[in-house]
Amino acid sequence: MELDRYVDLTSPHGLFVRAYLVSDKEEATTGQKALEGIKERYSSQAVMTDSSTISIGSGGDRYSLQLIEEPDCRIFVLISNLPHGDSATKDWVHHVADYLRQSEAILQLLPERPVSQFTVLVGFADSEKAAISLSERCSRYLECGEKARGITRGCLVANLDTITAQDSDYLRQNFLVASFRKTPSGSKPDISRFHQEFIRLAEFVGKLDRLCRSNELFFGTLGTAEQDVQATIEKETMENLFINFGNLGQIQINRLEKWLGELVTKFSDLSLLASAIRRDCTTAEMYVTQADNVLRGWNEKALEGYPTNASAEISQCEAIIKRFRNFLDRADALRTQLETTLNSIQTYLGFAQQKAMERQGNIVKVLTWVLATSTIILVLIEVLAALHILR
Amino acid sequence: MSLPPLSKFYNGFKDQSPEVAQAEAFKLGQALGLEAAHKLKLKGNDVNAIAKVVNEILAKMKYGALVIVEGDKAILRQSYYCPIMVSAASLKMPWDWLDENFAWPWMRGIASAVNPKVQFTVKRARCYGDSICEHIFEIK
């Protein structure tokens, strides 16, 4: 990935990463078509520099849009330089709005429903103190707070908590990277590495977020399902098991069998759902591990009591995993409850059927005795008749 | 008397307009409704009759909830898991798509076999985030 071929990474710029999930049935050319659409839209200003990259020159600004195709993910990476050289560095925060507005116009031409969009604003400062000051000015200008801050590889990295990031139907995160190396050229490899890492993060954390969102409705159903099971068990137990205990007729046995069938269905539905969520939980844990591997490499130094970006990101990821685990724990409890009730009914039914069989056995015994007695009487009558005693 | 394979239905219709999928689901429901009404030797076409036919089918497919008649309405309330929801979760199909384009027109189809003037209203739906599903059959 040569993201810095057309954009100068040693001057302030913005990096916009949009990640998409790719379904098996999707056309392989979808990403390519999106690139071509953008090229067409910018016609004379856009040049296809290679099969996966467009360079766009718009009003003195240069943008580079690259498509990265992964087996299950498609990522668009847009980088834009500020048009001014040193002055841009000096008044950097005032150009942030331009960055966002112009880049947003291009991003809007990309396909809908990404899993994530990461916006990374990259600036330069003379010292760590100046980097902190740049970060604070930037936050003020964008009217947002900083969720996390940390120093890594000669850069201050801050996670900016903007309104757009909170109210979105996909994951949006905004970062500021303020490099404070002595010479800007010295920071190029670090900045380039940050780009790669933010691209990976946007993919992993975006996939995790989508997985959680797609299960949100299922998580929400557990409460009513628990109540439903509780109410059914209480009602049916009272009506079937205790009230009619010791007085079990065929009608009760039929009711119990029907109830047993209903509980088996409930048990099976819950098991299927829990299996699906368990699969997703395992996938979610894998995404967290992947994100953690990227962030651990930053080895951030904490700053002024802020959580580091790694710890903030991972605790957010852990919170998502907790939702999956919470569902699974509660579903397991519910399954145990259903299983216990199922076992009780099966035992009870077995007992009832045994009793019924015993009753049938007793009837047979009585009938046999009656038959035997009748036979003896008949034989006696015949004998007596033969001896002419009864005549 | 059972649900058609939902993944087959979804894959067959997801790229078509919703109306096409809904019409097919309605047709499938109507055929099942006619079969059930015939089996039950059903007389009448009021909400009680609709409830009988819908329940016959729901019980067979182990839907887990049954329609109850309240006044002039037959109401289906489901607070537990249903086959549509379980399929959506297990096979990664959009739950709202399955409800809108399969389950609801399918149920309307079943009821229409009893009375074509039936009106089917989705009052609450868990696929939209409501706590339970509540669907109402009325004859207008």
Side-chain angles (χ1 to χ4, degrees):
Chain A
M1 284 184 285
E2 295 178 59
L3 296 168
D4 54 347
R5 241 165 80 189
Y6 307 99
V7 178
D8 178 14
L9 298 188
T10 59
S11 71
H13 59 274
L15 168 80
F16 303 86
V17 185
R18 259 202 188 192
Y20 297 80
L21 279 183
V22 178
S23 72
D24 302 339
K25 291 170 186 102
E26 211 172 300
E27 275 182 55
T29 54
T30 306
Q32 207 61 39
K33 278 182 184 163
L35 272 190
E36 280 161 17
I38 291 169
K39 185 180 170 286
E40 230 169 77
R41 164 73 178 74
Y42 283 90
S43 54
S44 59
Q45 297 164 297
V47 181
M48 201 103 180
T49 44
D50 60 54
S51 62
S52 62
T53 314
I54 315 177
S55 183
I56 304 167
S58 170
D61 297 343
R62 272 179 73 101
Y63 297 90
S64 176
L65 177 65
Q66 188 178 23
L67 166 68
I68 302 166
E69 295 274 15
E70 301 279 338
D72 62 339
C73 190
R74 175 174 299 123
I75 304 165
F76 288 96
V77 182
L78 179 72
I79 312 181
S80 61
N81 270 125
L82 272 174
H84 322 289
D86 291 340
S87 62
T89 309
K90 197 175 164 190
D91 301 320
W92 189 74
V93 288
H94 299 291
H95 292 284
V96 167
D98 285 341
Y99 265 129
L100 299 177
R101 200 185 59 248
Q102 290 166 17
S103 305
E104 197 61 42
I106 299 174
L107 291 170
Q108 273 178 5
L109 300 170
L110 292 175
E112 290 175 345
R113 278 182 61 76
V115 291
S116 65
Q117 180 175 312
F118 273 31
T119 302
V120 186
L121 303 168
V122 183
F124 295 88
D126 297 332
S127 62
E128 185 177 314
K129 204 176 159 195
I132 294 170
S133 159
L134 178 65
S135 162
E136 282 165 356
R137 273 186 293 146
C138 188
S139 310
R140 263 200 309 276
Y141 188 76
L142 292 172
E143 295 176 338
C144 64
E146 286 178 43
K147 275 202 292 195
R149 242 188 211 183
I151 299 285
T152 172
R153 290 186 228 135
C155 294
L156 167 85
V157 181
N159 187 329
L160 308 175
D161 194 12
T162 61
I163 293 165
T164 50
Q166 292 161 2
D167 296 330
S168 177
D169 54 3
Y170 55 90
L171 179 75
R172 289 186 80 148
Q173 293 215 39
N174 300 302
F175 292 89
L176 169 84
V177 175
S179 170
F180 51 86
R181 296 254 185 216
K182 290 278 179 221
T183 53
S185 58
S187 64
K188 190 179 166 183
D190 285 333
I191 299 294
S192 182
R193 198 169 146 197
F194 271 124
H195 282 195
Q196 306 303 330
E197 288 166 340
F198 276 115
I199 291 167
R200 293 277 77 89
L201 272 182
E203 178 190 341
F204 302 145
V205 185
K207 283 177 179 173
L208 175 69
D209 181 75
R210 174 57 58 83
L211 201 56
C212 183
R213 282 174 200 251
S214 66
N215 282 302
E216 201 71 53
L217 287 167
F218 304 122
F219 292 155
T221 56
L222 197 61
T224 49
E226 284 168 337
Q227 284 169 14
D228 180 281
V229 167
Q230 205 59 45
T232 316
I233 289 175
E234 270 172 30
K235 181 177 170 284
E236 298 285 342
T237 306
M238 286 303 285
E239 286 179 9
N240 288 317
L241 293 188
F242 298 124
I243 291 174
N244 296 303
F245 189 79
N247 184 26
L248 210 63
Q250 193 54 44
I251 297 169
Q252 278 81 29
I253 292 178
N254 289 347
R255 275 191 67 166
L256 274 178
E257 280 172 348
K258 192 174 163 243
W259 185 33
L260 187 69
E262 284 169 17
L263 283 179
V264 168
T265 305
K266 280 188 194 294
F267 186 79
S268 134
D269 283 347
L270 180 68
S271 301
L272 282 170
L273 191 67
S275 304
I277 302 284
R278 189 164 282 118
R279 271 203 309 271
D280 284 355
C281 182
T282 309
T283 311
E285 282 167 341
M286 185 188 75
Y287 294 147
V288 176
T289 307
Q290 287 171 323
D292 188 42
N293 287 343
V294 172
L295 291 163
R296 204 179 296 163
W298 286 8
N299 198 17
E300 281 174 278
K301 183 183 100 185
L303 209 60
E304 296 175 348
Y306 280 91
T308 60
N309 291 280
S311 66
E313 201 67 51
I314 291 303
S315 68
Q316 248 178 345
C317 293
E318 291 290 349
I320 291 178
I321 296 292
K322 233 177 218 171
R323 301 206 61 197
F324 281 97
R325 289 197 189 125
N326 177 266
F327 179 94
L328 291 172
D329 287 347
R330 286 170 65 184
D332 275 348
L334 199 57
R335 269 168 36 147
T336 307
Q337 200 179 5
L338 281 170
E339 210 169 4
T340 310
T341 316
L342 276 172
N343 288 339
S344 308
I345 300 169
Q346 277 167 339
T347 311
Y348 199 76
L349 265 174
F351 174 68
Q353 278 160 349
Q354 197 186 337
K355 271 189 91 176
M357 277 169 68
E358 275 173 15
R359 265 204 302 273
Q360 281 173 351
N362 286 340
I363 291 168
V364 170
K365 268 184 201 165
V366 169
L367 286 174
T368 314
W369 186 82
V370 168
L371 193 69
T373 314
S374 313
T375 313
I376 290 165
I377 291 169
L378 281 173
V379 169
L380 274 173
I381 290 169
E382 285 297 319
V383 170
L384 292 172
L387 295 170
H388 303 282
I389 293 173
L390 289 179
R391 298 233 171 145
Chain B
M1 214 181 279
S2 64
L3 276 178
L6 285 178
S7 56
K8 196 177 164 196
F9 187 89
Y10 174 68
N11 289 324
F13 290 97
K14 70 182 166 67
D15 297 324
Q16 299 189 41
S17 78
E19 291 77 21
V20 178
Q22 287 163 10
E24 178 63 19
F26 181 86
K27 219 164 69 183
L28 288 169
Q30 201 170 40
L32 269 185
L34 286 169
E35 191 188 324
H38 179 72
K39 194 182 152 202
L40 291 168
K41 297 185 175 67
L42 197 77
K43 286 180 184 136
N45 61 358
D46 59 359
V47 286
N48 289 297
I50 288 175
K52 268 186 198 160
V53 168
V54 176
N55 283 343
E56 170 75 11
I57 294 166
L58 293 185
K60 284 267 157 52
M61 61 171 269
K62 302 195 188 310
Y63 182 77
L66 294 176
V67 170
I68 46 165
V69 177
E70 291 178 7
D72 57 353
K73 291 173 184 163
I75 304 172
L76 177 64
R77 289 192 189 94
Q78 173 63 290
S79 53
Y80 194 71
Y81 302 122
C82 71
I84 306 285
M85 175 187 181
V86 172
S87 294
S90 329
L91 301 169
K92 300 285 164 228
M93 297 181 287
W95 189 7
D96 52 353
W97 191 98
L98 290 178
D99 271 350
E100 288 165 6
N101 301 305
F102 177 77
W104 300 338
W106 182 75
M107 281 193 200
R108 198 164 50 85
I110 295 172
S112 79
V114 179
N115 191 329
K117 287 184 183 164
V118 70
Q119 193 178 357
F120 177 79
T121 318
V122 175
K123 192 103 171 163
R124 286 189 279 178
R126 285 174 299 171
C127 70
Y128 295 157
D130 292 331
S131 57
I132 65 163
C133 289
E134 188 176 30
H135 312 322
I136 298 170
F137 300 90
E138 284 171 284
I139 294 164
K140 291 277 170 172

